[in-house]
Amino acid sequence: MTKPSGTILDGAKRRGRRPEAQDGPSTPFLPFTRPTIDEETIQGVAEVLRSGWLASGPNVKKLEAALSEYFGGRPVRTQMHATASLEHALLVAGIGPGHEVITPAMSFVATANVIVRVGARPVFVDVGLDSRNIDFDRVEAAITPRTRAIMPVHFAGLPVDMERLYAIAGRHRLRVIEDAAQAIGSCWRGRRIGSFGDLVCFSFHPNKNLTTIEGGCIVGGSPQELSQLELHRFHGQSKLAADEVDTLFAAGKANLSDVAARVGLGQLASLERFNARRRELAARYFSLWGHDAPVRLPARGDEGHNWHMFAPLLPLERLRISRLQFIEQMAERGIGVGVHYASAIHLFTAYRALGYREGQFPNAERIGRETVTLPLFPAMELSDVDRVVEATTDVLKGAAK
Ligand SMILES: *Cc1c(COP(=O)(O)O)cnc(C)c1O
């Protein structure tokens, strides 16, 4: 499966610097994202490696307890990645064959794939052009007698309107599985995403605001759902005694390792600082570009935005170059540009096979064509933003029709 980090620039990122960078060879290549792992965490990981207990153990318990505290005391269960978290959340919510789940047409493809994997049908709804979030004005029209759940995405960490989401879900008796993969630390009207709501899933992929290398978690769930989640992540097995187990159903395996959990504990201690830095960097983009930006800026949100990504749209109809050429010209200037995501989900082969067609969700389709992700990660300097803004403006000026 293609990971969200997969772009043509990964090679450049690995090389670390580009000899052809205009600022000269001494300016390091600026990737669009990079995790920050401190020395204390690296030491902690070394200790776990020496301890002899590498798979799920005391550190997973500690991470789940720390996350639970972070989310206001709600229960937390970790998984090997958020793709598993989302799939397990659907399963314990009883979503399966014959059911429909409403979800945005623009997201990372995992959001829709998990719906298909449990046997249900994803019913796409268009997103706001600037918010990238599901358009609640169109959600109720998509509800049918087969609808069982809504799976919204807090895209780039901008929370959806939680009041409208849960009002619609309540009116139609639907479960909500929040794809909060990008939203750790985001707040809606001062309340942390995950600290309220139904089943809320976070990702700890290296591109996300908090990483465990690979990892994810589900916040929420009844006591019965929590024991189901534990079965889903470990072979459907329940241990009855030291020498006695039962297997209740044929589940797979998706438990987090203790090494990964130790990385997460180190990250969680820095999360608020990381996110504060991301907000400063995003504010710098907005202040430098003001009202006459050469790109279409994303919705700004408020102080509750965790700025997982800074992804404006390119004015392609006014340019002589393609998005790929823009990415290449930025790389020549030593700047990494990502694409999240290069296509609306319904246009992928797997979803056209379900009957979806071009033209159904114009905003999602346009975002897929025009979006670019500019550098934003906690280790960046404000001057790096200046450099990105200057290079972007320069490339676009040179490419104007
Ligand atoms: C990253 C991401 C996922 C998948 O997370 P993994 O931990 O890589 O499985 C799902 N949905 C969205 C919106 C994401 O950004």
Side-chain angles (χ1 to χ4, degrees):
M1 194 182 77
T2 319
K3 299 307 297 178
S5 59
T7 75
I8 58 156
L9 288 169
D10 282 0
K13 204 160 88 176
R14 273 194 297 276
R15 283 195 293 279
R17 52 186 67 201
R18 294 211 139 199
E20 67 270 39
Q22 279 194 349
D23 323 39
S26 62
T27 308
F29 188 81
L30 181 69
F32 73 81
T33 192
R34 187 171 67 209
T36 301
I37 312 277
D38 60 30
E39 281 308 313
E40 191 274 328
T41 302
I42 293 170
Q43 285 304 316
V45 167
E47 279 164 33
V48 175
L49 291 172
R50 289 190 199 101
S51 76
W53 196 298
L54 308 188
S56 299
N59 280 287
V60 167
K61 286 238 177 320
K62 263 195 226 167
L63 178 62
E64 289 179 344
L67 287 168
S68 174
E69 195 188 323
Y70 184 76
F71 292 117
R74 299 186 80 204
V76 174
R77 292 297 180 273
T78 53
Q79 288 80 23
M80 200 187 291
H81 38 70
T83 305
S85 310
L86 291 163
E87 189 172 331
H88 294 183
L90 286 165
L91 288 169
V92 304
I95 314 295
H99 298 157
E100 293 176 355
V101 178
I102 292 175
T103 198
M106 170 49 64
S107 179
F108 181 52
V109 72
T111 310
N113 282 357
V114 293
I115 297 168
V116 175
R117 286 178 60 80
V118 304
R121 180 182 173 85
V123 172
F124 294 114
V125 167
D126 208 357
V127 297
L129 190 58
D130 299 317
S131 72
R132 318 283 154 85
N133 282 338
I134 194 163
D135 181 353
F136 286 116
D137 288 340
R138 297 168 191 275
V139 165
E140 284 191 286
I143 294 173
T144 77
R146 292 175 297 283
T147 309
R148 292 292 181 280
I150 308 177
M151 189 186 278
V153 177
H154 305 293
F155 197 99
L158 177 69
V160 302
D161 183 337
M162 298 290 274
E163 195 169 284
R164 283 193 81 184
L165 168 64
Y166 282 96
I168 293 171
R171 237 182 348 260
H172 299 272
R173 297 172 190 280
L174 304 175
R175 293 298 300 264
V176 176
I177 291 103
E178 292 177 42
D179 182 342
Q182 305 181 355
I184 196 155
S186 291
C187 294
W188 186 77
R189 296 194 185 158
R191 297 172 76 194
R192 204 167 265 166
I193 294 299
S195 70
F196 63 109
D198 194 350
L199 298 171
V200 188
C201 301
F202 294 91
S203 170
F204 308 137
H205 180 274
N207 278 8
K208 306 295 159 73
N209 292 28
L210 180 157
T211 187
T212 61
I213 306 174
E214 295 281 5
C217 76
I218 303 171
V219 186
S222 66
Q224 203 234 332
E225 287 170 341
L226 293 171
S227 54
Q228 290 293 305
L229 289 177
E230 290 172 9
L231 293 170
H232 277 292
R233 75 180 173 185
F234 202 76
H235 313 287
Q237 279 204 331
S238 81
K239 198 163 192 171
L240 306 172
D243 66 341
E244 200 184 350
V245 294
D246 194 9
T247 300
L248 300 177
F249 56 90
K253 174 178 156 77
N255 57 304
L256 196 70
S257 78
D258 248 32
V259 178
R262 181 61 188 83
V263 177
L265 283 163
Q267 291 270 292
L268 188 56
S270 304
L271 180 62
E272 294 313 292
R273 196 163 39 81
F274 287 167
N275 283 350
R277 183 63 179 168
R278 286 174 177 275
R279 282 190 282 271
E280 281 174 6
L281 294 163
R284 183 78 171 183
Y285 275 113
F286 280 101
S287 78
L288 289 174
W289 264 330
H291 291 294
D292 48 35
V295 289
R296 187 174 174 123
L297 296 173
R300 188 155 185 184
D302 60 19
E303 66 285 353
H305 199 327
N306 78 355
W307 286 105
H308 166 60
M309 297 190 284
F310 186 79
L313 302 182
L314 291 178
L316 285 181
E317 76 286 355
R318 287 187 271 124
L319 300 179
R320 287 181 287 103
I321 58 170
S322 66
R323 175 169 61 186
L324 181 60
Q325 287 170 314
F326 171 79
I327 293 170
E328 287 166 353
Q329 292 185 25
M330 290 293 281
E332 283 163 17
R333 287 164 172 77
I335 293 165
V337 173
V339 177
H340 302 89
Y341 296 94
S343 172
I345 298 176
H346 66 286
L347 298 180
F348 287 126
T349 301
Y351 293 90
R352 288 180 190 262
L354 299 180
Y356 289 105
R357 291 290 172 263
E358 196 142 11
Q360 284 185 288
F361 310 107
N363 285 347
E365 293 171 20
R366 179 172 163 194
I367 293 161
R369 288 190 302 272
E370 299 183 355
T371 192
V372 284
T373 305
L374 300 181
L376 199 163
F377 55 89
M380 268 171 70
E381 300 294 334
L382 291 177
S383 60
D384 290 322
V385 175
D386 300 8
R387 208 175 123 208
V388 177
V389 163
E390 205 174 296
T392 303
T393 306
D394 188 41
V395 168
L396 294 180
K397 204 176 279 174
K401 268 183 185 160

PDB file of all heavy atoms in Angstrom, residues 80-105:
ATOM      1  N   MET A  80      -1.324  -1.342  15.451  1.00  0.00           N
ATOM      2  CA  MET A  80      -0.066  -1.241  14.711  1.00  0.00           C
ATOM      3  C   MET A  80      -0.062  -0.068  13.716  1.00  0.00           C
ATOM      4  O   MET A  80       0.988   0.410  13.311  1.00  0.00           O
ATOM      5  CB  MET A  80       0.169  -2.547  13.960  1.00  0.00           C
ATOM      6  CG  MET A  80       1.602  -2.790  13.534  1.00  0.00           C
ATOM      7  SD  MET A  80       1.699  -4.251  12.507  1.00  0.00           S
ATOM      8  CE  MET A  80       1.342  -5.534  13.703  1.00  0.00           C
ATOM      9  N   HIS A  81      -1.237   0.375  13.296  1.00  0.00           N
ATOM     10  CA  HIS A  81      -1.371   1.550  12.431  1.00  0.00           C
ATOM     11  C   HIS A  81      -2.825   1.993  12.468  1.00  0.00           C
ATOM     12  O   HIS A  81      -3.708   1.208  12.864  1.00  0.00           O
ATOM     13  CB  HIS A  81      -0.936   1.257  10.986  1.00  0.00           C
ATOM     14  CG  HIS A  81      -1.311  -0.103  10.494  1.00  0.00           C
ATOM     15  ND1 HIS A  81      -2.605  -0.456  10.231  1.00  0.00           N
ATOM     16  CD2 HIS A  81      -0.561  -1.200  10.259  1.00  0.00           C
ATOM     17  CE1 HIS A  81      -2.638  -1.711   9.830  1.00  0.00           C
ATOM     18  NE2 HIS A  81      -1.413  -2.202   9.838  1.00  0.00           N
ATOM     19  N   ALA A  82      -3.073   3.233  12.042  1.00  0.00           N
ATOM     20  CA  ALA A  82      -4.432   3.755  12.100  1.00  0.00           C
ATOM     21  C   ALA A  82      -5.361   3.057  11.111  1.00  0.00           C
ATOM     22  O   ALA A  82      -6.579   3.056  11.296  1.00  0.00           O
ATOM     23  CB  ALA A  82      -4.435   5.257  11.842  1.00  0.00           C
ATOM     24  N   THR A  83      -4.787   2.478  10.066  1.00  0.00           N
ATOM     25  CA  THR A  83      -5.626   1.719   9.137  1.00  0.00           C
ATOM     26  C   THR A  83      -6.313   0.579   9.899  1.00  0.00           C
ATOM     27  O   THR A  83      -7.520   0.340   9.719  1.00  0.00           O
ATOM     28  CB  THR A  83      -4.770   1.195   7.971  1.00  0.00           C
ATOM     29  OG1 THR A  83      -4.096   2.310   7.362  1.00  0.00           O
ATOM     30  CG2 THR A  83      -5.614   0.499   6.920  1.00  0.00           C
ATOM     31  N   ALA A  84      -5.562  -0.091  10.776  1.00  0.00           N
ATOM     32  CA  ALA A  84      -6.155  -1.133  11.627  1.00  0.00           C
ATOM     33  C   ALA A  84      -7.119  -0.509  12.640  1.00  0.00           C
ATOM     34  O   ALA A  84      -8.207  -1.059  12.884  1.00  0.00           O
ATOM     35  CB  ALA A  84      -5.067  -1.919  12.345  1.00  0.00           C
ATOM     36  N   SER A  85      -6.759   0.631  13.198  1.00  0.00           N
ATOM     37  CA  SER A  85      -7.644   1.285  14.178  1.00  0.00           C
ATOM     38  C   SER A  85      -9.012   1.556  13.553  1.00  0.00           C
ATOM     39  O   SER A  85     -10.059   1.243  14.137  1.00  0.00           O
ATOM     40  CB  SER A  85      -7.045   2.611  14.660  1.00  0.00           C
ATOM     41  OG  SER A  85      -5.700   2.453  15.070  1.00  0.00           O
ATOM     42  N   LEU A  86      -9.004   2.126  12.341  1.00  0.00           N
ATOM     43  CA  LEU A  86     -10.260   2.468  11.667  1.00  0.00           C
ATOM     44  C   LEU A  86     -11.064   1.210  11.333  1.00  0.00           C
ATOM     45  O   LEU A  86     -12.283   1.165  11.520  1.00  0.00           O
ATOM     46  CB  LEU A  86      -9.958   3.256  10.381  1.00  0.00           C
ATOM     47  CG  LEU A  86      -9.396   4.676  10.585  1.00  0.00           C
ATOM     48  CD1 LEU A  86      -8.756   5.196   9.295  1.00  0.00           C
ATOM     49  CD2 LEU A  86     -10.490   5.634  11.055  1.00  0.00           C
ATOM     50  N   GLU A  87     -10.358   0.193  10.856  1.00  0.00           N
ATOM     51  CA  GLU A  87     -11.049  -1.056  10.492  1.00  0.00           C
ATOM     52  C   GLU A  87     -11.656  -1.712  11.735  1.00  0.00           C
ATOM     53  O   GLU A  87     -12.817  -2.139  11.720  1.00  0.00           O
ATOM     54  CB  GLU A  87     -10.059  -1.997   9.796  1.00  0.00           C
ATOM     55  CG  GLU A  87     -10.727  -3.219   9.203  1.00  0.00           C
ATOM     56  CD  GLU A  87      -9.787  -4.057   8.332  1.00  0.00           C
ATOM     57  OE1 GLU A  87      -8.847  -3.491   7.730  1.00  0.00           O
ATOM     58  OE2 GLU A  87     -10.009  -5.284   8.270  1.00  0.00           O
ATOM     59  N   HIS A  88     -10.900  -1.765  12.825  1.00  0.00           N
ATOM     60  CA  HIS A  88     -11.414  -2.378  14.050  1.00  0.00           C
ATOM     61  C   HIS A  88     -12.572  -1.566  14.628  1.00  0.00           C
ATOM     62  O   HIS A  88     -13.529  -2.133  15.165  1.00  0.00           O
ATOM     63  CB  HIS A  88     -10.290  -2.525  15.080  1.00  0.00           C
ATOM     64  CG  HIS A  88      -9.217  -3.485  14.654  1.00  0.00           C
ATOM     65  ND1 HIS A  88      -8.140  -3.806  15.450  1.00  0.00           N
ATOM     66  CD2 HIS A  88      -9.053  -4.200  13.509  1.00  0.00           C
ATOM     67  CE1 HIS A  88      -7.360  -4.671  14.810  1.00  0.00           C
ATOM     68  NE2 HIS A  88      -7.888  -4.918  13.631  1.00  0.00           N
ATOM     69  N   ALA A  89     -12.475  -0.248  14.523  1.00  0.00           N
ATOM     70  CA  ALA A  89     -13.561   0.595  15.033  1.00  0.00           C
ATOM     71  C   ALA A  89     -14.862   0.289  14.284  1.00  0.00           C
ATOM     72  O   ALA A  89     -15.929   0.154  14.893  1.00  0.00           O
ATOM     73  CB  ALA A  89     -13.187   2.071  14.901  1.00  0.00           C
ATOM     74  N   LEU A  90     -14.761   0.145  12.958  1.00  0.00           N
ATOM     75  CA  LEU A  90     -15.949  -0.200  12.168  1.00  0.00           C
ATOM     76  C   LEU A  90     -16.493  -1.561  12.594  1.00  0.00           C
ATOM     77  O   LEU A  90     -17.705  -1.747  12.759  1.00  0.00           O
ATOM     78  CB  LEU A  90     -15.603  -0.240  10.674  1.00  0.00           C
ATOM     79  CG  LEU A  90     -15.387   1.109   9.985  1.00  0.00           C
ATOM     80  CD1 LEU A  90     -14.709   0.916   8.634  1.00  0.00           C
ATOM     81  CD2 LEU A  90     -16.712   1.849   9.812  1.00  0.00           C
ATOM     82  N   LEU A  91     -15.591  -2.521  12.780  1.00  0.00           N
ATOM     83  CA  LEU A  91     -16.017  -3.883  13.129  1.00  0.00           C
ATOM     84  C   LEU A  91     -16.742  -3.912  14.475  1.00  0.00           C
ATOM     85  O   LEU A  91     -17.810  -4.512  14.594  1.00  0.00           O
ATOM     86  CB  LEU A  91     -14.813  -4.830  13.143  1.00  0.00           C
ATOM     87  CG  LEU A  91     -14.231  -5.176  11.766  1.00  0.00           C
ATOM     88  CD1 LEU A  91     -12.879  -5.889  11.906  1.00  0.00           C
ATOM     89  CD2 LEU A  91     -15.209  -6.027  10.952  1.00  0.00           C
ATOM     90  N   VAL A  92     -16.180  -3.263  15.490  1.00  0.00           N
ATOM     91  CA  VAL A  92     -16.831  -3.327  16.808  1.00  0.00           C
ATOM     92  C   VAL A  92     -18.112  -2.490  16.843  1.00  0.00           C
ATOM     93  O   VAL A  92     -18.963  -2.712  17.699  1.00  0.00           O
ATOM     94  CB  VAL A  92     -15.893  -2.942  17.980  1.00  0.00           C
ATOM     95  CG1 VAL A  92     -14.647  -3.812  17.983  1.00  0.00           C
ATOM     96  CG2 VAL A  92     -15.543  -1.467  17.966  1.00  0.00           C
ATOM     97  N   ALA A  93     -18.227  -1.540  15.890  1.00  0.00           N
ATOM     98  CA  ALA A  93     -19.478  -0.778  15.797  1.00  0.00           C
ATOM     99  C   ALA A  93     -20.537  -1.577  15.026  1.00  0.00           C
ATOM    100  O   ALA A  93     -21.645  -1.092  14.812  1.00  0.00           O
ATOM    101  CB  ALA A  93     -19.223   0.567  15.125  1.00  0.00           C
ATOM    102  N   GLY A  94     -20.171  -2.761  14.580  1.00  0.00           N
ATOM    103  CA  GLY A  94     -21.144  -3.633  13.919  1.00  0.00           C
ATOM    104  C   GLY A  94     -21.381  -3.298  12.459  1.00  0.00           C
ATOM    105  O   GLY A  94     -22.410  -3.671  11.888  1.00  0.00           O
ATOM    106  N   ILE A  95     -20.443  -2.584  11.825  1.00  0.00           N
ATOM    107  CA  ILE A  95     -20.608  -2.215  10.417  1.00  0.00           C
ATOM    108  C   ILE A  95     -20.111  -3.359   9.536  1.00  0.00           C
ATOM    109  O   ILE A  95     -19.008  -3.872   9.745  1.00  0.00           O
ATOM    110  CB  ILE A  95     -19.792  -0.942  10.071  1.00  0.00           C
ATOM    111  CG1 ILE A  95     -19.960   0.156  11.125  1.00  0.00           C
ATOM    112  CG2 ILE A  95     -20.138  -0.458   8.661  1.00  0.00           C
ATOM    113  CD1 ILE A  95     -21.316   0.735  11.268  1.00  0.00           C
ATOM    114  N   GLY A  96     -20.910  -3.755   8.567  1.00  0.00           N
ATOM    115  CA  GLY A  96     -20.511  -4.867   7.710  1.00  0.00           C
ATOM    116  C   GLY A  96     -21.318  -4.901   6.427  1.00  0.00           C
ATOM    117  O   GLY A  96     -21.858  -3.874   5.988  1.00  0.00           O
ATOM    118  N   PRO A  97     -21.407  -6.072   5.806  1.00  0.00           N
ATOM    119  CA  PRO A  97     -22.102  -6.209   4.520  1.00  0.00           C
ATOM    120  C   PRO A  97     -23.542  -5.680   4.572  1.00  0.00           C
ATOM    121  O   PRO A  97     -24.245  -5.892   5.555  1.00  0.00           O
ATOM    122  CB  PRO A  97     -22.081  -7.725   4.282  1.00  0.00           C
ATOM    123  CG  PRO A  97     -20.854  -8.199   5.012  1.00  0.00           C
ATOM    124  CD  PRO A  97     -20.753  -7.330   6.233  1.00  0.00           C
ATOM    125  N   GLY A  98     -23.912  -4.950   3.505  1.00  0.00           N
ATOM    126  CA  GLY A  98     -25.262  -4.399   3.422  1.00  0.00           C
ATOM    127  C   GLY A  98     -25.367  -3.010   4.031  1.00  0.00           C
ATOM    128  O   GLY A  98     -26.395  -2.353   3.899  1.00  0.00           O
ATOM    129  N   HIS A  99     -24.315  -2.565   4.695  1.00  0.00           N
ATOM    130  CA  HIS A  99     -24.348  -1.246   5.337  1.00  0.00           C
ATOM    131  C   HIS A  99     -23.628  -0.200   4.491  1.00  0.00           C
ATOM    132  O   HIS A  99     -22.772  -0.536   3.680  1.00  0.00           O
ATOM    133  CB  HIS A  99     -23.678  -1.306   6.719  1.00  0.00           C
ATOM    134  CG  HIS A  99     -24.370  -2.235   7.662  1.00  0.00           C
ATOM    135  ND1 HIS A  99     -23.746  -2.801   8.745  1.00  0.00           N
ATOM    136  CD2 HIS A  99     -25.643  -2.705   7.667  1.00  0.00           C
ATOM    137  CE1 HIS A  99     -24.604  -3.579   9.387  1.00  0.00           C
ATOM    138  NE2 HIS A  99     -25.766  -3.546   8.755  1.00  0.00           N
ATOM    139  N   GLU A 100     -23.992   1.057   4.715  1.00  0.00           N
ATOM    140  CA  GLU A 100     -23.323   2.187   4.064  1.00  0.00           C
ATOM    141  C   GLU A 100     -22.698   3.096   5.117  1.00  0.00           C
ATOM    142  O   GLU A 100     -23.250   3.259   6.201  1.00  0.00           O
ATOM    143  CB  GLU A 100     -24.332   3.006   3.236  1.00  0.00           C
ATOM    144  CG  GLU A 100     -24.882   2.236   2.044  1.00  0.00           C
ATOM    145  CD  GLU A 100     -25.962   2.995   1.272  1.00  0.00           C
ATOM    146  OE1 GLU A 100     -26.370   4.096   1.722  1.00  0.00           O
ATOM    147  OE2 GLU A 100     -26.399   2.483   0.227  1.00  0.00           O
ATOM    148  N   VAL A 101     -21.559   3.637   4.749  1.00  0.00           N
ATOM    149  CA  VAL A 101     -20.856   4.576   5.633  1.00  0.00           C
ATOM    150  C   VAL A 101     -20.572   5.844   4.835  1.00  0.00           C
ATOM    151  O   VAL A 101     -20.002   5.781   3.742  1.00  0.00           O
ATOM    152  CB  VAL A 101     -19.537   3.967   6.159  1.00  0.00           C
ATOM    153  CG1 VAL A 101     -18.801   4.974   7.037  1.00  0.00           C
ATOM    154  CG2 VAL A 101     -19.802   2.674   6.926  1.00  0.00           C
ATOM    155  N   ILE A 102     -20.977   6.981   5.378  1.00  0.00           N
ATOM    156  CA  ILE A 102     -20.780   8.261   4.691  1.00  0.00           C
ATOM    157  C   ILE A 102     -19.406   8.824   5.027  1.00  0.00           C
ATOM    158  O   ILE A 102     -19.013   8.868   6.207  1.00  0.00           O
ATOM    159  CB  ILE A 102     -21.905   9.232   5.088  1.00  0.00           C
ATOM    160  CG1 ILE A 102     -23.223   8.698   4.497  1.00  0.00           C
ATOM    161  CG2 ILE A 102     -21.601  10.651   4.612  1.00  0.00           C
ATOM    162  CD1 ILE A 102     -24.442   9.468   4.900  1.00  0.00           C
ATOM    163  N   THR A 103     -18.671   9.210   3.983  1.00  0.00           N
ATOM    164  CA  THR A 103     -17.285   9.630   4.178  1.00  0.00           C
ATOM    165  C   THR A 103     -16.907  10.631   3.088  1.00  0.00           C
ATOM    166  O   THR A 103     -17.525  10.645   2.020  1.00  0.00           O
ATOM    167  CB  THR A 103     -16.377   8.363   4.187  1.00  0.00           C
ATOM    168  OG1 THR A 103     -15.119   8.680   4.787  1.00  0.00           O
ATOM    169  CG2 THR A 103     -16.147   7.811   2.800  1.00  0.00           C
ATOM    170  N   PRO A 104     -15.911  11.497   3.337  1.00  0.00           N
ATOM    171  CA  PRO A 104     -15.544  12.495   2.317  1.00  0.00           C
ATOM    172  C   PRO A 104     -14.828  11.884   1.118  1.00  0.00           C
ATOM    173  O   PRO A 104     -14.116  10.883   1.253  1.00  0.00           O
ATOM    174  CB  PRO A 104     -14.601  13.447   3.064  1.00  0.00           C
ATOM    175  CG  PRO A 104     -14.049  12.645   4.194  1.00  0.00           C
ATOM    176  CD  PRO A 104     -15.137  11.683   4.579  1.00  0.00           C
ATOM    177  N   ALA A 105     -15.001  12.523  -0.048  1.00  0.00           N
ATOM    178  CA  ALA A 105     -14.363  12.035  -1.281  1.00  0.00           C
ATOM    179  C   ALA A 105     -12.887  12.413  -1.345  1.00  0.00           C
ATOM    180  O   ALA A 105     -12.153  11.883  -2.178  1.00  0.00           O
ATOM    181  CB  ALA A 105     -15.098  12.588  -2.504  1.00  0.00           C
TER     182      ALA A 105
END
